[in-house]
């Protein structure tokens, strides 16, 4: 592309962004009160924000803007998330991050309604176990709320409507998917994270650097779908090293690069990553595999047919907010049944290899031992099936697929079709693969 065009376009986006920022006057009383409490590193003013020590071109503080995707609520009902296949071999604990195309910060798919309904149920039933904040989390949460609102309005013009723009006094937005009118007039009636939760289906973690020790702490979190055995009440206010205490090889392999990496992260360069584990159910808050009652888990693991097992992908993004410099970590679970992936080259082979031969700590953390003997025969059958169908042969190398972290049939442009993505395998059944109804039944004894 012509560099002059890029420069003019960049300047236009920047001026739009800055004027918008200038009219935002976050509740000052909160800011000064909490500044004393936590003493933020001075957030850049809009004018300063063009200068950055991290970027030669000075644009590091300018977040990228999404492009509109004209999907309607009806189309979303049939829409699939990007087909994640984050299976690596060899499998080591690494940062495993890659550049995020901002259009996919908050993706849309046919499970949107299910996630939003589940969020409401979880808030009512579990409250602070899944959503919590410290006073110093207020200001960045407010900035996050603005960012989520602006992103959704811009990216999905037919799914979110701006009913009223009150400038520094906030916005009133209609969520066309749930038909809810979301009144974000200042002063807000609820915590900003509650509004974020009514619009986006992702889990949100707000992390701030404490200037006193230069380390990163979790200051607010809306995490209805942790999936595993941790509650957010145990993580709030904690340093990232403590939060990752249970994570295998964190101290040896990740700790050092994490702090360095957080220092360098800029608003202009968001990233994403994906992790995964296997389970037999679709519960969002806590999967069967991570229930606390270990006898019950063992029993349950065997009571499900191997065909019922699926992979839960934890789709994660990281970005920095320009004003507060808070780091926003999102996590979003997406389930894929093994059945729907069975004709994708090497997927059954990779899963089998990983559940038996991944590093010991990872095997334990992801509870592979609990069910691997139960499903290995099924995976062996699928591997043989791939050989019989000529999808793989004995010489096909077992390694990270070239299209990692996505399915082999994915084309580069994820917006190329408004109908979302369908697994093109003849054995894929789109109807059957919609797990919403199944998931609702699973919640009955929750
Ligand atoms: C580049 C940055 C990060 C990396 C490389 C990373 C890596 C990991 C890894 C490897 C795990 C284990 C699960 C898995 O296999 O993925 C994990 C778990 C987790 N991460 Fe991170 N993480 C990052 C940033 C964050 C941030 C900013 C937060 C926000 C507080 C966070 C919160 C968590 C939580 C709550 C868990 C679950 C821990 C548990 O099981 O008790 N992570 N992370």
């Amino acid at each position: 592309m012509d560099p002059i065009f890029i420069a003019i376009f960049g300047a236009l986006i920047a001026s739009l962004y800055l004027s918008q920022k200038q009219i935002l006057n976050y509740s000052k009383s909160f800011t000064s009160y909490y500044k004393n409490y936590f003493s933020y590193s001075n957030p850049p003013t809009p004018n300063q924000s063009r200068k950055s020590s991290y970027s030669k071109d000075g644009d590091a503080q300018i977040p990228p803007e999404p492009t509109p995707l004209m999907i309607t609520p009806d189309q979303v009902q049939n829409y699939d998330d990007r087909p994640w296949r984050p299976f690596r071999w060899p499998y080591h604990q690494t940062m495993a991050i890659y550049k995020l195309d901002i259009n996919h910060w908050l993706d849309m798919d046919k499970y949107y309604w299910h996630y939003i309904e589940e969020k409401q149920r979880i808030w009512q039933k579990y409250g602070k176990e899944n959503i919590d904040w410290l006073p110093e989390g207020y200001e960045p949460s407010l900035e996050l709320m603005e960012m989520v609102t602006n992103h959704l309005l811009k990216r999905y013009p037919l799914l979110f409507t701006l009913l009223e723009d009150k400038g520094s006094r906030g916005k009133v937005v209609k969520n066309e998917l749930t038909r809810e009118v979301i009144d974000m007039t200042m002063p807000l009636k609820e915590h900003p994270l509650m509004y974020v939760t009514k619009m986006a289906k992702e889990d949100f973690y707000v992390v701030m650097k404490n200037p006193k020790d230069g380390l990163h702490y979790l200051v607010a979190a809306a995490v209805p779908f942790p999936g595993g055995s941790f509650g957010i009440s145990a993580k709030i206010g904690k340093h990232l090293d403590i939060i990752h205490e249970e994570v295998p090889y964190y101290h040896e392999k990740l700790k050092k690069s994490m702090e360095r990496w957080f220092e360098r992260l800029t608003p202009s360069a968001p990233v994403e990553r994906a992790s995964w584990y296997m389970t037999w159910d679709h519960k969002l808050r806590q999967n069967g595999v991570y229930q606390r009652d270990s006898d019950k888990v063992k029993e349950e693991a065997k009571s499900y047919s191997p065909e019922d097992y699926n992979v839960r992908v934890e789709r994660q993004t990281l970005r920095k907010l320009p004003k507060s410099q808070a780091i926003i970590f999102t996590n979003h679970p997406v389930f894929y049944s093994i059945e729907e992936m069975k004709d994708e080259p090497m997927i059954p082979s990779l899963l089998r290899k990983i559940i038996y031969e991944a590093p010991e700590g990872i095997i334990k953390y992801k509870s592979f031992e609990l069910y691997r003997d139960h499903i290995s025969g099924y995976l062996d059958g699928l591997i043989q099936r791939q050989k019989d169908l000529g999808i793989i042969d004995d010489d096909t190398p077992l390694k990270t697929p070239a299209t990692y972290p996505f399915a082999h049939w994915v084309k580069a442009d994820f917006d190329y079709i408004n109908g979302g993505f369908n697994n093109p395998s003849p054995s894929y059944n789109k109807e059957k693969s919609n797990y919403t109804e199944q998931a609702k039944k699973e919640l009955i004894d929750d």
Side-chain angles (χ1 to χ4, degrees), residues 93 95 230 235 244 247 258 273 275 318 329 365-366:
Q93 195 67 289
M95 298 276 288
F230 67 90
K235 305 281 185 195
H244 288 97
V247 174
M258 291 262 283
R273 70 186 299 275
S275 77
L318 284 139
F329 178 68
Y365 183 73
K366 298 197 188 248

Side-chain angles (χ1 to χ4, degrees), residues 91 93-97 205-207 218 229-230 232 235 240 243-248 250 254 258 261-262 271 273-276 314 316 318 327-329 365-366:
Y91 187 14
Q93 195 67 289
T94 62
M95 298 276 288
I97 45 176
Y205 298 79
V206 181
V207 172
L218 181 65
S229 54
F230 67 90
I232 213 57
K235 305 281 185 195
L240 279 183
I243 288 171
H244 288 97
E245 209 159 34
E246 305 288 318
V247 174
Y250 175 82
L254 295 178
M258 291 262 283
W261 186 83
F262 282 128
V271 299
R273 70 186 299 275
S275 77
W276 64 275
E314 301 283 354
Q316 301 166 347
L318 284 139
I327 289 162
I328 303 300
F329 178 68
Y365 183 73
K366 298 197 188 248

Side-chain angles (χ1 to χ4, degrees), residues 26 39 44 69 83 147 158 185 203 226 251 286 324 335 412 425:
Y26 295 133
S39 64
L69 182 68
M147 187 169 261
L158 305 181
T185 305
D203 287 2
H251 287 274
Q286 187 175 48
S324 61
F335 294 98
S425 155

